[in-house]
Amino acid sequence: MGRNRFQGRRPKKGADTYQRTLISRTQLNTARGKRFYWTALTIALVLASLVFIGPLFWMATGGFKTSQELVRNPPVLLPSHPSTHAFTLAWDRLGMAQLLWNTIVYAGGALLFQLIFCVSAAYSLSKLRPIFGNWILALMLASMMIPAAALVIPQYLTVLDLPLVHWNLQNTPWVIWLPTVANAFNVFLLKRFFDSIPNDLLDAASVDGAGPLRTLWRIVLPMSRPILGVVSIFAVVAVWKDFLWPLITVPAHETLNVGVNTAATSMPDNALVGGLFLASIPTIVLFLFFQRNIMAGLTVGGVKG
Amino acid sequence: MAYALATERLHDGTEQGRGSRPAWKALRRAAGRNLRAHAFLFGALVCFALFTWYPMVREIIMSFQRVHRGQTTWVGLGNYRQITADPEFWQAWGNTAEFTALALVFGFAAPFAVAIVVNEFRHAQGYLRILVYLPVMLPPVAGILLFKYFMDPGFGLFNQGLHFLHLPTSQWLASKSTAMPSLVVVSTWSNMGTATLVYLAALQGIPGDLYEAAELDGCSVLQRIRHVTIPQTRLILSLMAMLQIVATMQMFTEAFVLTGGGPEGSTTTVVYLLYNYAFSYNKFNTAAALGVIMLLVLACFSAIYIVLERRGGED
C-alpha cells in the first residue's frame, strides 16, 4: 500500500522528464550525434557481450566438444559432433548432485540463521534499547575493520574445539552456519532500517497489548521486506562464493566451489569445462530471476557501506 | 542509558506518588525490559563472541606462544622473528602489494569508465548492467578455472587472439613476470560488476544542471568528467578504493586455484603464506603472528583513509 504511494510520486521515465548526463540530449539529437550514439551503443553491446557472455558461451559449447576439439588451433566455434558425454561424465565424476545439495544446505541454513539472529539483534538494538546496547553495537561494527582472512587461524581452532562446550564442529553444517551470523554489516543495515520505523507505531501495538516478539512479527517485519530481501541475497551469495573457509572446515562435505577445484586436476578437459558450466547454471538462473532485487540490494549496500 | 531510564521511571513513580506504584516495582519492570531486550540479542552475541571477538584475542595471544608436543610455552616475539626471517614473507608482501596496486588501477578505472559510458546510453542499460554483473554471481572457482583455458600458453584463446592480431603472445600464468598481472585480469573480470553498479547508482544521483553549467562554461566532455563527475562521486570513489584495497590484500582463491603460488613463488600472497604455514607446515602460531601483522597493516590503511576523509571533509 505505502509502497505504491511512493512509487506514484517518483518521476516516471519518459520523454517529458529526463536526467541530464554528461552529454546533453540536444547534442545527441543532431544527425552526427545520433550516428555517434548508435555506433557507440553497438560497439558497447558487442564488446560487453563478447567479454561477459563469450566465456559462458565457450564453456557451454566446450562441454559438447571432444577434448581435442576443445584445444584445437584455430578454435572451433561450434562442436562438429555435439555429444553430452562430457556433461554426464562431469556430473558423475564431480558428484555434482551432492556438491549442489551441500551448497544449498549451507546457504539455506546460513540464510535462516542470519535472518533469525541478525534481525532480532537489530530489533533489540534499535527498538528495545537494552543496557550497554551502544557498546555492543560499537563492538560489532569494529569487527568490520578486521580482514576476514587474517582471523582464519584462530577461527579454525575455535570451531575444532568450541570454548566451554568442547564441541568439534568440523564437517558439520554448523561450522558454516553459525559464523555467518557474526556479520556486523547485516546487523547495521537492519538496525538502520528499523530506526526509520516510527516508534508511535510500536507504542500503539504495545498499548494494544502486543509483546516485543509479536510487534516484531506483525509490524516491523512486514514493513521491512525490502531490507530483508537485501540481507537474504547477501547471505546466500556470501556462502555461495566463499572458498577458503569451506576448504578448511568442511573437507568431507565439500561445497560446489571446493569440490570443483578438487576434482579439476583429474578430469578430461571437456568434462571439466562442461562441469564448470553445470556448476554455473544454478547461479545464472537464480540471478536472472532475482536480478532486480540484487541490483537494488547492491546500491543500498554500496552507498551505505 | 537504561539505568537512566529506570531512575527516570523511579522518579516519575515517586512524584506521582499516591503510593500505588512503589519504586522497586518500576525498577523490576526496567530490569525485565532489559532482560527481554538482551534475550533478543543473545543469539547474535554468542556468534560474535565465538567467531569474532574471541578469535581476535586468541590470535594475539597465540602469536606469542608456541606449541610443542602439547606443551604451550611463551616465546615472546619468537614467532614474529621466525616469520620475518622467512624470505617468502617479504616476497609474499611484495606480491600482495603488486596485486593490490594493479587491481586498484584496473579494478578501479575499468568499472568507473564502464559506468560513465553506460550511464550515457538511453537504451539497453538494463542489459548492460546484467552483463557486467553476471561474472560476480558465478561460483568463483568456475570463473577462475575458465581462465586457465583462455590463458594456456599453447592453445589458449588469448594467445590465439594475440597471434591473429600479429601481437606478441604471452606466457600468462606460466611465467614469473606475467603470472600476477594475469591474476589481476581474472580478478577484475569476475569482480568489476559490483563496483560498476555502485558507480552507476552514484552517477545517476548527479544533478544535471551541473553538467549544463559546465557545458555553458565551455568545458569539453573530459573536462566535465574531471570537474563535475569525479568531484560529485568523490565520496563513493574513495570508499570503494578503501574497500578494494582491503579486499584485494586478502586475495587467495585466484592464486590457490590457478597457480598454486607459483611459478617460483611469484603469486604467493600473504593469505596464501598464512594458509601454507597453518595447513602445510602445521605452524599455527607462526601463522597467527602473520595474521596479526596483516591486521596491523590493514589497520594502518584504515587509519590513513579516515584521516584523509576528515581532511577532505574540512576543505
Side-chain angles (χ1 to χ4, degrees):
Chain A
M1 253 163 57
R3 273 199 353 240
N4 284 341
R5 215 176 55 220
F6 283 113
Q7 263 164 8
R9 271 186 209 160
R10 207 181 291 157
K12 279 188 194 115
K13 261 192 187 171
D16 44 350
T17 56
Y18 90 100
Q19 174 83 39
R20 162 70 156 89
T21 52
L22 196 54
I23 299 166
S24 74
R25 189 164 275 194
T26 30
Q27 205 175 353
L28 279 180
N29 276 342
T30 61
R32 207 169 134 253
K34 268 184 188 156
R35 216 178 317 131
F36 177 75
Y37 175 83
W38 288 109
T39 330
L41 183 64
T42 317
I43 293 174
L45 284 176
V46 171
L47 211 65
S49 306
L50 210 66
V51 170
F52 294 108
I53 302 250
L56 289 177
F57 174 79
W58 186 85
M59 202 152 73
T61 52
F64 289 107
K65 294 175 187 166
T66 61
S67 278
Q68 292 90 324
E69 215 176 0
L70 190 74
V71 299
R72 187 168 300 163
N73 189 359
V76 267
L77 195 62
L78 289 169
S80 49
H81 304 288
S83 136
T84 53
H85 174 72
F87 288 110
T88 47
L89 185 70
W91 184 270
D92 295 340
R93 193 79 77 79
L94 284 170
M96 192 74 87
Q98 186 62 49
L99 292 181
L100 255 176
W101 175 244
N102 291 344
T103 312
I104 290 170
V105 168
Y106 296 146
L111 171 63
L112 195 71
F113 276 95
Q114 281 182 58
L115 281 183
I116 295 173
F117 290 135
C118 293
V119 164
S120 53
Y123 174 64
S124 172
L125 290 171
S126 170
K127 295 300 181 197
L128 305 179
R129 313 216 119 251
I131 190 165
F132 303 127
N134 287 338
W135 282 97
I136 291 168
L137 184 67
L139 269 177
M140 286 179 175
L141 291 180
S143 73
M144 285 210 290
M145 298 285 187
I146 302 169
L151 274 192
V152 151
I153 306 299
Q155 274 173 341
Y156 173 72
L157 295 175
T158 304
V159 297
L160 286 189
D161 181 23
L162 222 56
L164 306 176
V165 287
H166 298 291
W167 289 334
N168 181 357
L169 298 183
Q170 201 178 25
N171 283 326
T172 65
W174 299 98
V175 78
I176 305 278
W177 293 343
L178 293 181
T180 58
V181 174
N183 184 334
F185 186 62
N186 275 353
V187 175
F188 177 68
L189 266 187
L190 288 164
K191 181 188 176 287
R192 278 190 59 139
F193 194 89
F194 293 164
D195 283 345
S196 72
I197 295 176
N199 278 327
D200 298 352
L201 226 61
L202 306 192
D203 291 343
S206 141
V207 166
D208 286 348
L213 193 62
R214 204 182 165 84
T215 316
L216 174 64
W217 186 252
R218 284 291 173 80
I219 296 174
V220 176
L221 285 188
M223 290 181 76
S224 313
R225 244 179 248 152
I227 200 74
L228 293 178
V230 170
V231 169
S232 305
I233 288 163
F234 284 163
V236 171
V237 171
V239 174
W240 191 266
K241 297 199 65 150
D242 203 6
F243 183 75
L244 179 56
W245 185 245
L247 176 75
I248 59 180
T249 55
V250 281
H253 311 287
E254 293 171 320
T255 59
L256 203 58
N257 265 317
V258 179
V260 168
N261 184 52
T262 315
T265 45
S266 64
M267 297 240 287
D269 284 329
N270 60 345
L272 179 59
V273 171
L276 296 183
F277 184 65
L278 290 181
S280 310
I281 291 176
T283 14
I284 296 173
V285 172
L286 215 70
F287 172 56
L288 294 180
F289 201 69
F290 285 111
Q291 49 99 359
R292 199 170 280 271
N293 312 51
I294 293 172
M295 306 269 170
L298 211 74
T299 31
V300 172
V303 175
K304 304 267 162 65
Chain B
M1 203 207 71
Y3 172 75
L5 213 83
T7 46
E8 196 183 86
R9 290 257 168 107
L10 219 85
H11 194 63
D12 275 4
T14 45
E15 211 160 59
Q16 281 167 1
R18 290 173 206 156
S20 59
R21 278 173 61 192
W24 63 269
K25 220 170 178 177
L27 196 70
R28 207 174 63 175
R29 262 186 44 174
R33 261 172 61 96
N34 260 304
L35 216 60
R36 226 167 21 192
H38 276 289
F40 272 88
L41 262 178
F42 184 73
L45 268 189
V46 169
C47 289
F48 269 96
L50 275 181
F51 303 110
T52 307
W53 301 329
Y54 170 65
M56 176 82 206
V57 176
R58 186 170 179 179
E59 173 150 83
I60 294 168
I61 295 173
M62 266 179 78
S63 71
F64 296 110
Q65 294 175 331
R66 207 167 282 170
V67 182
H68 188 65
R69 293 188 186 167
Q71 284 270 307
T72 308
T73 46
W74 283 87
V75 291
L77 291 173
N79 292 317
Y80 291 93
R81 244 174 263 131
Q82 191 190 0
I83 191 84
T84 47
D86 183 350
E88 271 200 274
F89 172 82
W90 300 103
Q91 194 187 9
W93 274 107
N95 292 337
T96 303
E98 187 190 349
F99 182 84
T100 306
L102 281 173
L104 204 61
V105 172
F106 286 108
F108 204 61
F112 193 55
V114 169
I116 288 181
V117 172
V118 169
N119 194 39
E120 290 309 308
F121 292 138
R122 276 166 291 150
H123 304 88
Q125 251 196 31
Y127 175 69
L128 286 170
R129 270 205 302 240
I130 291 178
L131 278 194
V132 185
Y133 199 64
L134 199 54
V136 180
M137 293 296 292
L138 297 183
V141 170
I144 291 168
L145 275 176
L146 188 63
F147 275 83
K148 202 170 193 166
Y149 287 94
F150 294 159
M151 289 178 164
D152 189 282
F155 63 81
L157 279 185
F158 284 5
N159 270 355
Q160 288 186 23
L162 288 175
H163 190 76
F164 181 76
L165 296 170
H166 297 289
L167 291 169
T169 54
S170 165
Q171 289 292 304
W172 300 104
L173 297 163
S175 142
K176 224 180 133 177
S177 56
T178 53
M180 205 43 121
S182 306
L183 290 186
V184 174
V185 172
V186 181
S187 152
T188 306
W189 181 80
S190 37
N191 294 320
M192 68 180 280
T194 318
T196 309
L197 293 196
V198 171
Y199 294 150
L200 256 176
L203 289 179
Q204 269 150 17
I206 300 178
D209 358 344
L210 291 178
Y211 287 119
E212 200 80 59
E215 197 181 355
L216 289 177
D217 285 347
C219 284
S220 69
V221 171
L222 281 182
Q223 279 172 326
R224 269 174 255 162
I225 292 179
R226 216 190 122 209
H227 295 297
V228 179
T229 314
I230 292 178
Q232 284 291 312
T233 46
R234 198 188 60 85
L235 213 67
I236 202 83
L237 282 175
S238 62
L239 183 73
M240 291 297 285
M242 181 62 214
L243 290 176
Q244 217 184 350
I245 289 175
V246 174
T248 48
M249 279 186 91
Q250 300 180 65
M251 192 269 271
F252 172 77
T253 316
E254 283 91 343
F256 186 81
V257 171
L258 276 184
T259 58
E264 293 173 58
S266 59
T267 55
T268 304
T269 58
V270 176
V271 179
Y272 204 115
L273 190 66
L274 189 131
Y275 173 87
N276 272 345
Y277 262 94
F279 298 100
S280 308
Y281 319 149
N282 243 333
K283 287 181 177 167
F284 282 94
N285 296 86
T286 322
L290 183 53
V292 173
I293 295 174
M294 220 180 131
L295 281 177
L296 291 177
V297 170
L298 283 165
C300 285
F301 271 100
S302 304
I304 292 170
Y305 171 74
I306 291 168
V307 168
L308 287 180
E309 261 314 285
R310 286 264 166 79
R311 200 167 294 165
E314 280 163 16
D315 286 345

